[in-house]
Amino acid sequence: MSQPASVDYVFDFSSPFAYIGSRRIEAVAARHGRRVHWQPILLGAVFKVTGGAPLIDTPLKGPYTKHDLMRAAREHGTPFIWPDIFPISSVAASRATIWLRDNDDDALRARTADFIHAVFAACYAENRDISSPEVLATVANALGLDADLMMAGMSDRVVKDRLRSDVAAAIEKGVFGTPTIFVDGEMFWGSDRIDQVDRWLERGGW
Amino acid sequence: MSQPASVDYVFDFSSPFAYIGSRRIEAVAARHGRRVHWQPILLGAVFKVTGGAPLIDTPLKGPYTKHDLMRAAREHGTPFIWPDIFPISSVAASRATIWLRDNDDDALRARTADFIHAVFAACYAENRDISSPEVLATVANALGLDADLMMAGMSDRVVKDRLRSDVAAAIEKGVFGTPTIFVDGEMFWGSDRIDQVDRWLERGGW
């Protein structure tokens, strides 16, 4: 059975804008009969290749970006507190996500979005250290997922390799920050482009 | 007689996103009983202080930004061609704008927006060199403005000083790119924030 076409959501758990967008993208995709393909990447690896830097750290733009972020969070009613640990290493969370997303078990695959939302919330709404496998295990348990199975899956070579190749593929496609959204190859950067993605899907591009 | 409250539109004629936003900001302001205060600045002078660089020139982000710009122009039905001369020195056009905007003559002051739109269109729709005073004179004439008077006004020390102090004031307020829009002190950067400015005015902030 063929799946519906996807909207690809490329994100780093360490990107607060990716958190904000993660709470809106599914509704937009669903409105147009699409599913979301979740693609966690590691911005640190991207920046190494592209010479980029986190917006938040840029002089002048940094403080404004933080203000802009909080304003967007308030507008969308997104709970947001600045995490004590920032930036956050998102390797473990990304591997856990890929293990779920690419799992042979349909029931596990179906929980991918739940897990992503829970990890993002743990970080940006509950100020928990999502770089820690123990925290991820707690998050998984709270969702009724088998944390031991997940921990084992995260060490799987296939999962590790897939994260690496997903990062490489994102760089190849021109990703330099997250969230980046792809609709049939068309690239949109930023959670502030989600309304435009909605209109793009509505009109079939322009 | 007191004027209605303003929406401040800080822009550089050399910023194509400022062009796109310039065609939308008045309708948004008017919808909320506001006028637009036009504040031309010189991004070159801003970048000297802030260490910033044009987005268009940034590796990876540059090509995407160009794509994003053309997509926004098409979406809003904004005529757009990439000008042969870019970036463009906007000193002369900024001075001419300030001469009109701050003019003692009400009738001239009232033409400020017309002139701004015509200069932007000359650059981004007609590919004319708006750094040239001759081109600006032609634009002024086409609007029925006295080009000689304008040319004289542009050399006025008060006008020159005002442009300099407007640039300094913009830097002081945290401007690092254009367009930047201020609503009662609240700062919004980017033509892509105009819908949010609209909602901000509607709700009186949040």
Side-chain angles (χ1 to χ4, degrees):
Chain A
M1 206 176 66
S2 75
Q3 286 196 90
S6 69
V7 168
D8 296 351
Y9 193 78
V10 180
F11 67 100
D12 187 329
F13 282 107
S14 187
S15 161
F17 283 107
Y19 161 59
I20 290 180
S22 71
R23 295 169 49 107
R24 303 189 60 214
I25 193 66
E26 284 167 300
V28 168
R31 186 150 48 237
H32 305 284
R34 300 236 182 176
R35 71 192 164 87
V36 172
H37 172 76
W38 301 97
Q39 186 173 342
I41 62 162
L42 306 174
L43 273 178
V46 173
F47 291 155
K48 247 183 230 169
V49 173
T50 64
L55 258 183
I56 300 284
D57 295 344
T58 311
L60 278 164
K61 229 179 248 192
Y64 169 78
T65 300
K66 215 162 159 171
H67 181 79
D68 181 53
L69 174 77
M70 307 298 274
R71 184 168 60 200
R74 291 198 311 277
E75 178 173 17
H76 297 298
T78 307
F80 190 89
I81 42 171
W82 206 270
D84 289 329
I85 300 170
F86 190 84
I88 306 140
S89 165
S90 47
V91 179
S94 299
R95 285 179 182 161
T97 301
I98 287 175
W99 172 75
L100 276 173
R101 184 197 67 190
D102 297 351
N103 211 288
D104 289 333
D105 183 336
D106 289 354
L108 284 177
R109 249 193 350 264
R111 305 300 305 279
T112 309
D114 292 343
F115 180 71
I116 291 168
H117 294 309
V119 172
F120 266 133
C123 178
Y124 296 105
E126 299 155 23
N127 193 18
R128 290 158 70 196
D129 177 9
I130 60 162
S131 69
S132 144
E134 289 70 34
V135 169
L136 296 177
T138 314
V139 169
N141 278 327
L143 292 171
L145 295 168
D146 183 332
D148 292 336
L149 203 60
M150 177 178 279
M151 294 300 122
M154 284 159 56
S155 317
D156 193 322
R157 171 148 307 281
V158 175
V159 167
K160 291 179 175 180
D161 286 350
R162 182 57 197 256
L163 177 55
R164 238 189 314 268
S165 66
D166 272 6
V167 171
I171 293 170
E172 184 67 31
K173 286 164 88 174
V175 170
F176 51 81
T178 82
T180 294
I181 300 151
F182 288 95
V183 179
D184 309 328
E186 183 75 12
M187 172 171 159
F188 297 85
W189 170 52
S191 61
D192 57 3
R193 286 295 179 277
I194 289 184
D195 290 332
Q196 194 182 37
V197 165
D198 194 8
R199 299 190 299 266
W200 183 271
L201 286 162
E202 183 70 36
R203 294 170 57 181
W206 54 75
Chain B
M1 204 176 69
S2 75
Q3 286 196 92
S6 70
V7 169
D8 297 349
Y9 193 78
V10 180
F11 68 100
D12 187 329
F13 281 106
S14 187
S15 160
F17 283 108
Y19 161 60
I20 289 179
S22 71
R23 294 170 50 108
R24 303 189 59 214
I25 193 66
E26 285 167 302
V28 168
R31 185 151 49 237
H32 306 284
R34 301 235 181 177
R35 71 191 164 87
V36 173
H37 173 76
W38 300 97
Q39 186 173 341
I41 62 162
L42 306 174
L43 273 177
V46 173
F47 291 155
K48 249 184 228 170
V49 172
T50 64
L55 260 183
I56 300 283
D57 294 346
T58 311
L60 278 163
K61 228 179 248 194
Y64 169 77
T65 300
K66 216 163 158 170
H67 182 78
D68 181 51
L69 174 77
M70 308 298 275
R71 185 168 59 199
R74 290 198 311 275
E75 178 172 19
H76 297 298
T78 306
F80 190 89
I81 43 171
W82 206 270
D84 289 330
I85 300 169
F86 191 84
I88 304 140
S89 165
S90 47
V91 179
S94 299
R95 287 181 181 159
T97 300
I98 286 175
W99 173 75
L100 276 172
R101 185 196 67 190
D102 297 351
N103 211 287
D104 290 332
D105 183 335
D106 290 354
L108 284 178
R109 253 195 343 268
R111 306 300 305 280
T112 309
D114 292 342
F115 181 71
I116 291 168
H117 293 310
V119 171
F120 266 134
C123 179
Y124 297 105
E126 298 154 24
N127 194 16
R128 289 157 71 195
D129 177 10
I130 60 162
S131 69
S132 147
E134 289 71 35
V135 169
L136 297 177
T138 313
V139 169
N141 279 326
L143 293 170
L145 295 167
D146 184 333
D148 291 337
L149 203 61
M150 176 177 279
M151 294 301 121
M154 285 160 56
S155 315
D156 192 324
R157 172 149 303 281
V158 175
V159 167
K160 291 179 176 179
D161 286 350
R162 182 59 196 256
L163 176 56
R164 238 188 315 265
S165 65
D166 272 7
V167 170
I171 294 170
E172 183 66 30
K173 288 165 87 174
V175 170
F176 52 80
T178 82
T180 293
I181 299 150
F182 288 95
V183 179
D184 308 329
E186 184 75 12
M187 173 172 158
F188 297 86
W189 170 53
S191 61
D192 55 4
R193 286 295 178 278
I194 288 184
D195 291 331
Q196 195 182 35
V197 165
D198 194 8
R199 299 191 298 267
W200 183 270
L201 286 163
E202 182 71 34
R203 293 171 56 181
W206 55 74

